[in-house]
Amino acid sequence: MSSPQEPYQPGYPGSGQQQLPQQPQQPPAGYPGSGPAPAYGQPQPGNYPAGAQPAGAGPFGLPGGEPPARKRRRLWIVLTAIGAVLLLVVAAVVILVNVAGSATSHARDLADGFTKAVIAGDSSTAYDKYLDPALQEQLSKEAFISGVESLKMDSTCQPDYNNLKVGTENGVKSADVAGVITCEGKKVDLAYRFEGTDELKMTNIRLRPAA
């Protein structure tokens, strides 16, 4: 008797054994696709456009840092601010010097106008024009004229102001002037004080022969 036939088995012709499925081949190390996949959100090396750098990288591939153009711009901003401050300081100094110089010049003009008037014998005009009303109450015009005439000053006398001080306190301007009047054969010491808010007037006077 013939043996019963075995069921049909798929396979290649002539093969008497069942073939196992082939395993997928792993690419060798070093080629694209090898190694673990990067985490989500992390850049993959080698996949950047031309000229682009990964996030967090500085210029020339260095980590961190700022572009040179930004650093130069910040430096220029700092230097400009320092220059502006120095310019303001210089301007303030120039203004103070000009104000002080103007006040000193004004005090000298007042003292010179008064002194030349009394030297020329025009003591009455000097009294009315330069003396403060408070000083006029303390010193009468007659006493003033008499005191100037006692000094016997003439056209040879020349004033020299060797000490001028100006200042402002509580809105009141002041000027102290000291010097000497040199005449032929004698000298006369002078000391004036001018005060006022707008117009300076003489509040103190001293004229006496030099020791």
Side-chain angles (χ1 to χ4, degrees), residues 12-29:
Y12 291 99
S15 173
Q17 296 181 353
Q18 182 178 359
Q19 293 184 352
L20 297 176
Q22 296 182 356
Q23 297 292 334
Q25 296 182 357
Q26 296 290 338

Side-chain angles (χ1 to χ4, degrees), residues 98-172:
N98 289 336
V99 170
S102 177
T104 302
S105 178
H106 183 53
R108 182 186 294 274
D109 291 341
L110 288 174
D112 202 43
F114 174 82
T115 304
K116 288 182 177 179
V118 296
I119 290 176
D122 197 3
S123 300
S124 178
T125 301
Y127 182 91
D128 295 335
K129 183 177 180 180
Y130 293 97
L131 268 65
D132 187 81
L135 181 58
Q136 290 178 349
E137 292 180 0
Q138 301 175 15
L139 179 63
S140 66
K141 181 181 287 188
E142 291 75 14
F144 173 77
I145 294 175
S146 176
V148 171
E149 289 178 349
S150 68
L151 296 173
K152 300 186 182 303
M153 293 185 292
D154 54 34
S155 58
T156 63
C157 299
Q158 297 295 327
D160 181 23
Y161 312 105
N162 50 34
N163 192 357
L164 288 89
K165 294 181 180 179
V166 296
T168 302
E169 185 176 356
N170 297 327
V172 178

Side-chain angles (χ1 to χ4, degrees), residues 3-4 8 22 24 42 54 71 85 106 108 124 134 139-140 155 165 184 199 205 208:
S3 62
Y8 174 77
Q22 296 182 356
Q42 293 185 355
K71 290 186 177 181
V85 172
H106 183 53
R108 182 186 294 274
S124 178
L139 179 63
S140 66
S155 58
K165 294 181 180 179
E184 187 176 349
E199 184 180 9
I205 178 175
R208 65 183 182 185

Side-chain angles (χ1 to χ4, degrees), residues 61-72:
L62 299 178
E66 296 182 356
R70 183 176 300 175
K71 290 186 177 181
R72 286 196 297 268

Side-chain angles (χ1 to χ4, degrees), residues 51-106:
Q53 299 186 40
F60 310 107
L62 299 178
E66 296 182 356
R70 183 176 300 175
K71 290 186 177 181
R72 286 196 297 268
R73 184 166 58 251
R74 181 176 298 177
L75 178 61
W76 276 113
I77 292 174
V78 173
L79 293 178
T80 302
I82 295 175
V85 172
L86 292 177
L87 184 61
L88 290 176
V89 172
V90 172
V93 171
V94 171
I95 291 174
L96 290 176
V97 170
N98 289 336
V99 170
S102 177
T104 302
S105 178
H106 183 53

